[in-house]
């Protein structure tokens, strides 16, 4: 492509070192789509005849069809996807192909390709996130009456509906979707026409290209357009947050599927056995998802580090953006894709959930609230109930079996009916504030999400 200035061939060693075709080949649909739009601007500027443009478009589509079939041979010496396609086009159709790169550089071309790629991946990710949200809502709705202990510090804290716990993740995933949608706005800006750095002396209709490719806006500075990858970094950080949420959900699934908790039973189809221990049924989907979070964080850090010291504008370093971007997108898509069906097949062990939530100490705070309702300042009520719990430890019973006389000895505010407080369902009914897990609230949230998710 640059043979004019050079007397020597590129060393084979450098070809191998500098190629990106082994991984950027997958940008081919976007590269072809971008070139087709660019050729329209060239025709409009009078730089291509209608016939020449037709040869280009037909040639590009034919190459695309071959790549899709796996019948196209990529050549390492042509470095990247841009030059592989352009060189083959020119080999096939001659001069019109050689005109395609007019007023264009690989610098604005690759920026365009990445933006097109990321835009479509944002949409795919949004669909997958919605699918996982639906799976969580369905699992919650199918077990709407199930109450489990909620945990802080992984110690039993207060009872919550199982569905309320799942809906917490639905909220997190919704924010993830909003983040992606917001970042998509900054991805969705058309950089072509920026050239290598300073546009071109040949004037093309950038708006036409943007319209053809469905971009609502044009980049406003040619140097910015070829040099920044902040839009990709935003997506990588959005993906890192998704991975973080999935990793926490994984941890819950792993705990819940253990013999110790046994709140859920995963299906055989989404678990694996042990080659040695015949009894084992392992939650590998969740473990792998938790594990893969590391590489998604790593990719974000790679690209941040890659960009931090670069002088304006394009530098070849930036070719290293792609593997990080592809890997994070692929990894998160795969995790979302497998998590949803795994949850759809999961069963809840309602007996074990009921046993766990039968722990009367989960309602210790309700007893403190009881005293508050009778006029005792909360800090004092907290202390009284703390002593009741300590007394229970001495007697080896739960708060539900501590005699009324013991309660009354701790505070005269306790009445004979104090034990009524220690009913889980009653406790849940009382938690009516917006966002709290009263049964009516949880049912309404399940219905709201079902409506939103369709
Ligand atoms: N393969 C290159 C990349 O991904 C395309 C841009 C190359 N530009 C250049 N001036 N060498 O960054």
């Amino acid at each position: 492509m640059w043979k004019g200035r050079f007397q020597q061939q590129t060393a084979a060693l450098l070809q191998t070192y500098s190629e990106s075709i082994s991984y950027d080949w997958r940008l081919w649909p976007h590269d072809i789509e971008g070139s087709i739009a660019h050729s329209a601007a060239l025709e409009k500027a009078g730089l291509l005849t209608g016939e020449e443009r037709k040869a280009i478009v037909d040639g590009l589509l034919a190459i695309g069809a071959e790549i899709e079939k796996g019948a196209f041979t990529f050549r390492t010496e042509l470095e990247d996807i841009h030059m592989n396609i352009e060189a083959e086009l020119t080999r096939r159709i001659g001069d019109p192909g050689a005109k395609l790169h007019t007023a264009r550089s690989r610098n604005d071309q690759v920026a365009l390709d990445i933006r097109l790629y990321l835009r479509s991946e944002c949409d795919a990710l949004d669909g997958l996130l919605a699918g996982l949200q639906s799976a969580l809502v369905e699992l919650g709705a199918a077990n709407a009456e199930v109450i489990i202990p909620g945990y802080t510090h992984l110690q039993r804290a207060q009872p919550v509906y199982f569905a309320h716990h799942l809906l917490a993740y639905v909220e997190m995933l919704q924010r993830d979707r909003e983040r992606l949608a917001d970042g998509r706005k900054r991805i969705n800006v058309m950089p072509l026409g920026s050239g290598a750095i300073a546009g071109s002396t040949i004037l093309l209709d950038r708006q036409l290209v943007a319209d053809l490719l469905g971009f609502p806006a044009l980049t406003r500075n040619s140097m910015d357009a070829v040099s920044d990858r902040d839009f990709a970094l935003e997506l990588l950080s959005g993906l890192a947050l998704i991975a973080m949420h999935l990793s926490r959900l994984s941890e819950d699934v792993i705990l819940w599927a253990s013999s110790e908790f046994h709140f859920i039973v995963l299906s055989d189809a989404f678990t694996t056995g042990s080659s040695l221990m015949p009894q084992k049924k392992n939650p590998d989907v969740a473990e792998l998802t938790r594990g893969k979070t590391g590489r998604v964080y790593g990719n974000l850090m790679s690209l941040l580090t890659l960009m931090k010291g670069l002088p304006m504008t394009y530098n070849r370093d930036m070719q290293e953006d792609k593997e990080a971007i592809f890997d994070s997108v692929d990894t998160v898509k795969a995790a979302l894709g497998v998590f949803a069906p795994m949850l759809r097949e999961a069963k809840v062990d309602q007996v074990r959930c009921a046993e766990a939530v039968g722990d009367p100490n989960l309602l210790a705070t309700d007893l403190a609230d009881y005293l508050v309702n009778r006029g005792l300042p909360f800090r004092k009520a907290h202390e009284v109930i703390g002593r009741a719990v300590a007394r229970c430890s001495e007697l080896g019973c739960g708060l539900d079996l501590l005699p009324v006389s013991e309660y009354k000895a701790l505070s005269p505010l306790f009445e004979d009916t104090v034990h009524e407080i220690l009913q889980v369902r009653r406790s849940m009914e009382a938690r009516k504030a917006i966002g709290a897990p009263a049964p009516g609230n949880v049912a309404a949230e399940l219905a709201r999400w079902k409506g939103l998710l369709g």
Side-chain angles (χ1 to χ4, degrees):
M1 290 283 170
W2 46 73
K3 55 183 187 290
R5 190 225 180 279
F6 286 72
Q7 263 106 57
Q8 270 184 309
Q9 285 285 328
T10 313
L13 261 177
L14 172 53
Q15 282 178 13
T16 317
Y17 189 62
S18 78
E19 67 84 21
S20 55
I21 188 63
S22 56
Y23 50 87
D24 71 9
W25 68 271
R26 62 196 278 177
L27 291 173
W28 70 264
H30 313 294
D31 200 72
I32 286 178
E33 194 191 356
S35 286
I36 289 175
H38 179 63
S39 70
L42 290 174
E43 184 187 353
K44 187 173 177 195
L47 294 162
L48 290 175
T49 65
E51 225 169 278
E52 285 174 322
R53 170 153 198 254
K54 187 172 183 318
I56 287 174
V57 172
D58 291 348
L60 287 171
L61 292 176
I63 288 171
E66 279 173 37
I67 298 175
E68 189 153 34
K69 273 195 301 191
F72 189 87
T73 311
F74 292 111
R75 288 163 52 197
T76 308
E77 65 274 23
L78 291 171
E79 256 187 48
D80 57 23
I81 186 63
H82 324 295
M83 296 213 290
N84 265 272
I85 291 178
E86 189 195 328
E88 179 59 17
L89 179 72
T90 306
R91 193 188 68 76
R92 292 183 188 189
I93 66 169
D95 267 356
K99 291 182 179 179
L100 177 62
H101 210 51
T102 309
R104 184 176 73 172
S105 157
R106 279 186 294 156
N107 296 355
D108 57 351
Q109 188 177 1
V110 72
L112 174 70
D113 290 5
I114 297 174
R115 285 171 183 272
L116 285 169
Y117 161 78
L118 289 179
R119 186 174 72 178
S120 81
E121 293 298 349
C122 278
D123 299 339
L125 282 159
D126 187 66
L128 287 163
L129 285 162
L132 180 53
Q133 285 180 306
S134 292
L136 288 161
V137 170
E138 281 163 35
L139 186 61
N143 298 279
E145 296 301 316
V146 176
I147 307 171
I148 57 170
Y151 294 78
T152 62
H153 313 266
L154 202 52
Q155 304 289 319
R156 285 182 181 167
Q158 293 185 314
V160 290
Y161 279 96
F162 180 64
H164 191 62
H165 191 137
L166 297 181
L167 285 171
Y169 284 107
V170 175
E171 296 283 342
M172 296 177 208
L173 296 173
Q174 186 64 18
R175 289 194 296 278
D176 290 332
R177 291 177 68 187
E178 287 167 14
R179 258 185 289 276
L180 293 192
D182 191 59
R184 189 186 187 282
K185 291 184 215 154
R186 285 172 291 281
I187 288 169
N188 202 14
V189 184
M190 209 292 292
L192 216 62
S194 304
I197 170 169
S200 170
T201 57
I202 296 168
L203 198 61
L204 297 184
D205 184 349
R206 296 189 67 206
Q207 189 59 51
L208 171 66
V209 177
D211 291 344
L212 288 172
L213 296 172
F215 284 103
L218 302 175
T219 55
R220 308 295 303 182
N221 180 298
S222 61
M223 295 179 76
D224 172 42
V226 295
S227 69
D228 210 349
R229 294 290 181 265
D230 56 354
F231 58 91
L233 275 162
E234 277 192 71
L235 184 75
L236 288 199
S237 85
L239 291 172
L241 289 176
I242 296 171
M244 178 272 289
H245 287 148
L246 289 180
S247 187
R248 296 189 70 176
L249 176 56
S250 295
E251 178 63 15
D252 279 344
V253 166
I254 293 162
L255 285 173
W256 287 350
S258 68
S259 305
E260 284 68 19
F261 278 77
H262 216 268
F263 292 174
I264 61 170
V265 180
L266 298 171
S267 77
D268 287 357
F270 286 94
T271 45
T272 59
S274 158
S275 57
L276 189 146
M277 298 165 281
Q279 87 283 12
K280 289 299 288 291
K281 185 169 160 183
N282 296 327
D284 291 29
V285 168
E287 291 172 283
L288 283 166
T289 303
R290 188 177 57 185
K292 285 172 191 287
T293 303
R295 60 200 282 169
V296 179
Y297 288 4
N299 291 330
L300 170 62
M301 211 40 67
S302 299
L303 188 53
L304 280 170
T305 311
L306 171 66
M307 296 303 294
K308 75 176 266 293
L310 296 187
M312 289 278 267
T313 53
Y314 178 85
N315 298 269
R316 191 64 187 279
D317 315 44
M318 288 159 70
Q319 178 167 293
E320 294 281 313
D321 62 354
K322 277 165 217 68
E323 284 164 297
I325 293 172
F326 293 154
D327 186 63
S328 278
V329 169
D330 292 346
T331 302
V332 172
K333 278 172 78 181
L336 290 167
V338 68
F339 232 92
M342 178 192 72
L343 288 181
R344 284 209 167 84
E345 292 198 10
K347 296 272 173 287
V348 172
D349 184 338
Q350 305 207 357
V351 173
R352 288 291 294 270
C353 290
E355 263 171 42
V357 87
D359 178 350
N361 288 0
L362 284 165
L363 298 178
T365 316
D366 295 54
L367 278 177
D369 293 346
Y370 169 95
L371 293 176
V372 167
N373 284 328
R374 280 158 185 74
L376 198 63
F378 180 75
R379 282 288 153 231
K380 291 190 173 154
H382 185 287
E383 193 188 326
V384 170
I385 305 305
R387 275 193 258 116
V389 172
R391 185 74 184 123
C392 283
S393 301
E394 276 168 31
L395 298 174
C397 68
L399 286 166
D400 57 331
L401 296 178
L402 192 66
V404 174
S405 55
E406 293 277 353
Y407 278 109
K408 290 192 168 174
L410 288 164
S411 166
L413 294 171
F414 284 116
E415 292 169 32
D416 291 343
T417 51
V418 56
H419 290 101
E420 282 172 14
I421 292 298
L422 297 172
Q423 293 165 22
V424 178
R425 177 76 193 192
R426 190 176 190 276
S427 168
M428 301 316 293
E429 290 283 358
R431 299 169 185 278
K432 287 190 203 306
I434 294 170
N441 284 358
V442 175
E445 283 299 294
L446 284 170
R448 182 174 76 86
W449 280 113
K450 268 191 204 166
L452 284 172
L453 295 165

